[in-house]
């Protein structure tokens, strides 16, 4: 889930330019280290066990990096409070977060017409069928995008039901356009839809039912 | 998707012991390096930008590891052929794969009654709402588990439709039980269900419609 503090204001402002709804990587500090970690994830998978790379030495080096980070990390509880501070966009989620190496990351921007959109290219770590994006990875991207679309529309909540339809294989290594749009709000029930497209054709579509409530943030 | 070459034989054998349906990490070679990479992903997120860790040096070290791996990696096409060889379990997928640092990984085993099951603990990189598993991550785990359940049952295919129902928040840092079971096969239509539970209570349930076809493997 991502909270955009100025969503409604921006929409009312009738600006023509899409408004960024996700955190932008700083290219320094933890963001730069996470970008490098994404390279390591992909490169390990590209290399595989047949590679002549010095895997034992790499394991040692990576464990040393993790040890160093753990020695300088705050307690989990403290970090949880810190990462949930403010009402701005999250930096830690597994879809858009510049501090999370699992996130591709997917940047999302909101438009005046109420829709949101982002473009991402997914590599080998996100593979399901040969050469294609894993159906569950598409579900992950769409669940998150529908949540951000709700924030952009001004009423958001938690996923109660999500239905995904797979129309054609979603290709790896090609630009994918991910969209989302809030369709209706009826009491606490929010309905939201979204798609993943490649080359102008819809590969996956999603319909979500969300309930307008939120878990308390750690304090 | 994971293929288990001996699924039917094992089932017919009426063994009481669950049969492993996913690859087991070797604790050496690329598997050990990937396990260390998982530690780096989690530790970077635990540390965050407020940490006093030397992030610039860490970025340099991780980029050097990626450079070394890339210098020793086969061409992407060659690697794709290699990773899809045989009909055994996959080692590269983003849910169970010991060679994929994005995978938690989730181990899955099949039982005589046709069900499959696995237990996993998810940490901060898989967070959605505060302290809870991201709804899209639950979808990723369940889509994959339903696919493996189809292989265990002997007839598998590609996801056509997946519906997820979120009954209660799924906790981070606690053992989650993930289950799957093929319900019916009607021509090429396969129906499969699954759940994620914590402390004996179902947090997420899934229903999937799969079509009995497969994309060609790279050769």
């Amino acid at each position: 889930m991502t909270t955009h503090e100025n969503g409604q204001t921006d929409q009312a402002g009738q600006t023509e330019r899409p408004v960024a709804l996700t955190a932008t990587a700083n290219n320094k500090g933890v963001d730069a280290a996470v970008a490098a970690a994404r390279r390591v994830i992909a490169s390990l998978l590209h290399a595989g066990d047949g590679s002549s790379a010095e895997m034992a030495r790499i394991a040692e080096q990576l464990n040393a990096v993790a040890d160093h980070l753990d020695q300088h990390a705050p307690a989990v509880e403290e970090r949880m409070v810190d990462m949930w501070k403010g009402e701005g966009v999250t930096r830690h989620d597994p879809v858009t977060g510049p501090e999370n190496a699992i996130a591709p990351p997917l940047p999302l921007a909101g438009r005046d017409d109420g829709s949101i959109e982002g473009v991402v290219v997914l590599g080998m770590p996100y593979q399901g069928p040969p050469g294609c994006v894993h159906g569950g990875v598409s579900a992950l991207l769409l669940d998150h995008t529908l949540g951000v679309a709700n924030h952009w529309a001004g009423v958001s909540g938690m996923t109660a039901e999500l239905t995904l339809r797979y129309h054609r294989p979603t290709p790896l290594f090609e630009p994918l356009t991910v969209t989302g749009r809030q369709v209706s709000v009826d009491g606490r029930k929010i309905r939201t839809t979204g798609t993943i497209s490649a080359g102008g054709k819809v590969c996956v579509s999603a319909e979500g039912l969300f309930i307008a409530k939120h878990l308390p943030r750690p304090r």
Side-chain angles (χ1 to χ4, degrees), chain A:
Chain A
M1 293 298 165
T2 303
T3 308
H4 178 66
E5 57 190 331
N6 298 317
Q8 287 166 298
T9 312
D10 292 339
Q11 264 186 303
Q14 297 297 325
T15 170
E16 298 261 327
R17 197 187 301 176
V19 176
L21 302 175
T22 50
T24 306
N26 291 326
N27 296 322
K28 61 181 185 183
V30 70
D31 291 8
V34 168
R38 286 193 192 108
R39 284 193 61 206
V40 171
I41 296 168
S43 297
L44 280 168
L45 192 52
H46 278 240
D49 230 0
S51 151
S52 58
E54 298 166 47
M55 291 295 180
R57 197 166 65 88
I58 288 172
E60 269 175 38
Q61 288 173 327
L62 295 177
N63 277 315
V65 165
D67 289 342
H68 173 77
L69 285 163
D70 290 351
Q71 282 156 16
H72 294 79
V76 170
E77 297 71 20
E78 191 184 327
R79 172 66 176 134
M80 290 283 274
V81 171
D82 183 60
M83 61 167 54
W84 285 104
K85 255 185 200 155
E87 297 297 320
V89 296
T90 57
R91 297 186 56 79
H92 62 261
D93 70 77
V95 176
T96 76
E99 296 181 8
N100 191 333
I102 285 178
L106 169 67
L108 289 167
R111 295 181 186 279
D112 279 356
D113 66 5
S115 69
I116 72 165
E117 190 176 303
V119 175
V120 70
V121 175
L122 298 178
M124 229 181 248
Y126 304 96
Q127 185 175 225
C132 297
V133 176
H134 194 292
V137 169
S138 295
L140 170 59
L141 264 53
L142 281 165
D143 176 57
H144 196 86
T145 299
L146 268 50
V148 176
N150 288 335
H151 280 285
W152 176 239
V155 185
S156 66
M158 292 180 69
T159 319
E161 198 172 311
L162 182 69
T163 298
L164 300 137
R165 292 187 180 84
Y166 297 86
H167 307 282
R168 52 177 56 78
T170 306
L172 289 180
F173 309 123
E174 289 180 30
L176 304 174
T177 302
V178 186
T179 67
R181 176 193 294 268
Q182 191 175 83
V183 175
S184 67
V185 179
D186 176 16
R188 298 181 77 185
K189 289 187 180 177
I190 304 166
R191 294 190 187 271
T192 317
T193 61
T195 57
I196 299 178
S197 304
K201 291 183 175 177
V202 174
C203 302
V204 189
S205 59
E207 288 179 30
L209 168 65
F210 296 79
I211 304 298
K213 66 176 179 186
H214 291 280
L215 291 182
R217 292 180 174 218
R219 282 176 210 284

